Amino acid sequence: MYILGLTTLGDSAATLIKDGEIVAAAEEERFSRRKHHSGFPYNAMQYCLNEAGIGIADVGHIGLYWKPWVLRHKALQALKSAVISRDMFKARVDRGVAQVGESYLGMLRHPRRIREHFGNSDFKFHFLEHHQCHAASAFFVSGFDQSAIMTWDGTGEDTTTLFSRGDDRRIHRLKRIKLPHSLGQFYSAVTNYLGFDMFEGDEWKVMGLAAYGKPEYYDFFAKRVLSINGNHDFHVDIRVLDHHLAKYYQFSEALTSALGAPRAKGEELVEKHWNIAASAQKVLEDTALHLLSGLYEQAGSDNLCMAGGVAFNSVMNGRIMTETPFKRFYIQPAAGDAGCSLGAALLVWHSRLNQPRKFRMEHAYYGPGFSSEECAAALRAAGLQFQTLPDEQMLPRVAAMLAEGAIVGWFQGRMEFGPRALGNRSFLADPRRSDMRELLNKKVKLREWFRPLAPSMLEEAAEELFGHPHYDPFMITVLNVLEEKRANIPAVVHVDGTARPQTVSRHINPRYWQLISEFEKLTGVPLLLNTSFNVQEPIVLSPEDAIKTFSRASFDALVLENHIVHR
Ligand SMILES: [Fe+2]
């Protein structure tokens, strides 16, 4: 039985499962080349069908990640905001009218849209709750029979935080927190206050910057903006910091008199900005820990699954792993809304159709892949000279180039689902070089100097680096590097002595594992610097995308499967 899952607003995506196992999953942005693509994922859906070699008539069910008729709570919030200020009301209504007309009610036309575009079919269409889809995307692929589940994001239909418990094929809701109290919206509003852009997904920048600062403004944030209460709950005071006004870079007097004027886009980043980032980050972390202590009590499980955009906060995740009573963790690598397409398909399969669980998601390589011949054809079409080598020669050669300081665009196998490059669409470099982070950020990726870069490491080496075993194939948790190990790998250790590693298992990605091993043979260092293969655009999907990036950006060599091009 084939089931499709769809995400059709921001970060739109499609996932196809067969009998409960993922066949294909991809974000629309990779095809359209527009970051965070919003709109129906025609290309991603077509790709899923092609990957399985089926047509729409073979699909039994389609699950959508949203219930478009749940509008009442949002409308009520808009009305309530009118009491606070006219600007706030207007910001909500302007956005609300656009969303209801084009986006939400447009979803009701999806079944017809699909039949018109992909052909006739008698699939059954399911509208599913957003946070249930997030929860399903983590729990159903976690391998846990039962688990506590926390999902947190900007917002779903009305819910921003859902406490639930997974039991075999069911997800039971325990508690929900609704708008305007949203951890994701709080963090996005701070992102814009600091002169970045929430619509570009710049929340990463705030987290990166936070490591440089001290939480000097913690009390202000904790008392006036995002406060916790004794009931494992939290409260956002939108009179002080409002997400909708922040979208237009408007901030309350209460905020600017405490923190000063917001930073203008492009203005120099100074210590005060680092301190504001550090304060907001710490308030977020402390609130998260408070909520999770409540979830632990209510769910009665040592396992924790997480999804939703807030679960991308890898620094917060590090504290969750060390400071909560939970013992085992699963964080969905596509924690954002793209992952809801997977959750929607799985909800239909397990909860609606009551089918048993057997699948565990151990990797994210579910996107398009290209054969050696297709890569060679693309290189020839671009007029590039290349060498074709078997792995016994290719891997030692690339490892040696990296050890000598080269930056390599590395393209192999199927593309990753989710925002992280995990060794199949990656820029690779030597983690020992102290200038490598600046070189990559400034010269290759054309982005801010402070963005941390992360390592891909042999799974076996985790204990040596962190002092305890660690398993994270999805690069989603930040942890402390042993002090004596930091100096040797400066390019992948953040200013506060932490790193966000991907552990690479031999049985999951043997070729990438072998490449890192070759690098270890030469240098004694069992890891490589890994950052996503893209320059100011979505991660490359095809050989053509990789070649285009190679022609525009300054890095030293391009590897497409078993072909290598030197600059
Ligand atoms: Fe979401």
Side-chain angles (χ1 to χ4, degrees), residues 54-73:
I54 61 170
I56 191 69
D58 302 305
V59 174
H61 297 261
I62 299 180
L64 181 74
Y65 80 131
W66 204 272
K67 289 186 168 175
W69 56 85
V70 182
L71 296 166
R72 196 170 144 262
H73 183 81

Side-chain angles (χ1 to χ4, degrees), residues 46 49 117 195 264 300 358 470 485:
Q46 185 63 57
L49 298 173
H117 188 88
K358 54 178 196 277
H470 179 68
K485 296 288 177 186

Side-chain angles (χ1 to χ4, degrees), residues 29-35 537-541 545:
E29 64 158 26
R30 309 287 166 87
F31 300 90
S32 71
R33 311 306 300 155
R34 291 206 319 263
K35 266 190 177 184
E537 55 160 9
I539 295 176
V540 300
L541 178 147
D545 296 335

Side-chain angles (χ1 to χ4, degrees), residues 209-218 271-280 282:
L209 210 57
Y212 290 86
K214 293 189 188 63
E216 203 178 290
Y217 304 95
Y218 179 85
E271 199 177 337
K272 194 182 100 177
H273 302 127
W274 312 348
N275 291 345
I276 292 170
S279 308
K282 184 165 161 45

Side-chain angles (χ1 to χ4, degrees), residues 119-150:
N120 220 353
S121 169
D122 57 2
F123 57 77
K124 190 166 175 354
F125 199 88
H126 307 258
F127 294 94
L128 303 160
E129 193 207 320
H130 185 70
H131 269 261
Q132 282 248 312
C133 293
H134 274 312
S137 77
F139 173 62
F140 285 141
V141 298
S142 67
F144 301 146
D145 293 338
Q146 41 73 29
S147 177
I149 311 170
M150 183 65 92

Side-chain angles (χ1 to χ4, degrees), residues 212-460:
Y212 290 86
K214 293 189 188 63
E216 203 178 290
Y217 304 95
Y218 179 85
D219 284 348
F220 168 74
F221 278 111
K223 285 182 183 143
R224 300 289 309 280
V225 186
L226 170 60
S227 22
I228 56 180
N229 66 27
N231 195 27
H232 302 298
D233 212 331
F234 68 93
H235 180 271
V236 174
D237 191 341
I238 56 172
R239 291 170 307 177
V240 182
L241 181 59
D242 180 54
H243 168 79
H244 291 271
L245 288 177
K247 278 179 192 158
Y248 301 101
Y249 294 92
Q250 289 177 35
F251 300 94
S252 73
E253 215 189 296
L255 191 85
T256 52
S257 64
L259 304 182
R263 172 179 170 263
K265 265 188 189 178
E267 190 188 317
E268 196 193 348
L269 281 161
V270 295
E271 199 177 337
K272 194 182 100 177
H273 302 127
W274 312 348
N275 291 345
I276 292 170
S279 308
Q281 172 68 26
K282 184 165 161 45
V283 172
L284 172 83
E285 291 168 17
D286 289 350
T287 308
L289 295 177
H290 174 71
L291 299 180
L292 286 170
S293 69
L295 176 64
Y296 185 76
E297 278 171 27
Q298 290 179 45
S301 171
D302 286 340
N303 303 328
L304 175 64
C305 294
M306 294 197 291
V310 177
F312 279 134
N313 196 300
S314 48
V315 177
M316 175 193 86
N317 294 345
R319 284 192 65 193
I320 289 172
M321 289 193 185
T322 50
E323 295 181 38
T324 65
F326 292 105
K327 293 195 175 69
R328 288 166 295 275
F329 302 88
Y330 189 93
I331 307 174
Q332 165 54 238
D337 283 358
C340 287
S341 62
L342 168 62
L346 292 168
L347 261 185
V348 172
W349 177 247
H350 295 302
S351 296
R352 298 266 165 118
L353 303 177
N354 202 29
Q355 294 296 320
R357 293 173 56 204
K358 54 178 196 277
F359 176 74
R360 190 179 138 89
M361 185 176 178
E362 289 188 297
H363 64 78
Y365 309 116
Y366 289 109
F370 298 85
S371 67
S372 175
E373 292 70 40
E374 288 172 305
C375 292
L379 288 166
R380 276 194 292 270
L384 287 170
Q385 297 278 336
F386 61 94
Q387 254 186 307
T388 304
L389 300 170
D391 276 359
E392 304 86 76
Q393 290 171 33
M394 176 68 89
L395 302 181
R397 160 96 64 105
V398 174
M401 288 169 59
L402 291 165
E404 283 157 22
I407 297 172
V408 175
W410 178 260
F411 180 107
Q412 65 162 32
R414 294 180 67 180
M415 185 184 71
E416 297 87 347
F417 182 47
R420 291 275 170 244
L422 299 166
N424 282 10
R425 302 286 187 277
S426 293
F427 281 127
L428 303 177
D430 187 345
R432 297 171 304 165
R433 282 188 51 169
S434 56
D435 58 343
M436 196 48 92
R437 192 182 66 196
E438 193 174 329
L439 203 68
L440 260 164
N441 275 341
K442 272 197 179 159
K443 297 228 169 96
V444 181
K445 308 252 306 179
L446 311 177
R447 63 185 198 180
E448 297 86 350
W449 56 269
F450 58 82
R451 302 287 290 277
L453 295 169
S456 292
M457 61 189 305
L458 301 181
E459 184 185 9
E460 298 80 356

